[in-house]
Each structure stands twice: as C-alpha cells, then as structure tokens.
Amino acid sequence: MAYQIVVTTEEGMTTVYPDCIEQWVEDMGTSITGISSNPRTRSELQGHPKIAGFIGPAWGGTTEQGEPIIRYEDKETYADLSV
C-alpha cells in the first residue's frame, strides 16, 4: 500500500508519497490522533492512522501494481478541492 499526502504550500498543492507515515507525521510536527475504524468506510481504510490537521484516511485509488493508495489532505487542500 502507498500513502499519498496532499498539502497546500505557498507554491500551491504539493503531493508527497512518504515511505513511513509515522515518520512523516513526526517530521511535520503533527500527531496521530487515532485509528480509522468506521465500518461504513472501505475495508482498505480500516486500521490506518488519523492525523491532526488532515482529512483522511481516504481512498486514493490504486497504484499501477494494484496496491491501495491511502490519501490524506490538509484542510486547505480539502476546502479547495471541495468547491
């Protein structure tokens, strides 16, 4: 599985694919606030972290190899894409 993080910076929207979500959270100075366990969401999202200041985990499709992409967006990106 792959993690996809989309954030809005001064340069615009930026997408990163961290190798380790826990390390990325620490490096960004944010925190994991819980684990996704809502039974009404896709099974692929179950057990993935919830991150302070971010919307997600959300379904991001699949990689070319068919692996699930778990997507997170910061609140500014989410608001911009939801218009």
Side-chain angles (χ1 to χ4, degrees), residues 37-52:
S37 61
N38 185 338
R40 294 178 297 202
T41 61
R42 298 178 74 105
S43 63
E44 294 92 344
L45 302 177
Q46 302 299 314
H48 291 283
K50 296 179 183 181
I51 303 171

Side-chain angles (χ1 to χ4, degrees), residues 4 9 41 44-46 52 64-65 81-83:
Q4 178 186 44
T9 65
T41 61
E44 294 92 344
L45 302 177
Q46 302 299 314
E64 291 180 6
Q65 296 76 30
L81 293 175
S82 296
V83 174

Side-chain angles (χ1 to χ4, degrees), residues 17-83:
Y17 296 89
D19 292 328
C20 176
I21 192 72
E22 293 84 358
Q23 186 63 53
W24 183 86
V25 166
E26 184 177 323
D27 292 347
M28 294 304 293
T30 189
S31 61
I32 293 174
T33 60
I35 300 295
S36 178
S37 61
N38 185 338
R40 294 178 297 202
T41 61
R42 298 178 74 105
S43 63
E44 294 92 344
L45 302 177
Q46 302 299 314
H48 291 283
K50 296 179 183 181
I51 303 171
F54 287 81
I55 307 300
W59 181 245
T62 59
T63 66
E64 291 180 6
Q65 296 76 30
E67 295 178 281
I69 298 171
I70 308 302
R71 181 179 170 92
Y72 295 86
E73 298 170 355
D74 68 3
K75 291 180 180 182
E76 185 176 348
T77 298
Y78 180 79
D80 289 345
L81 293 175
S82 296
V83 174

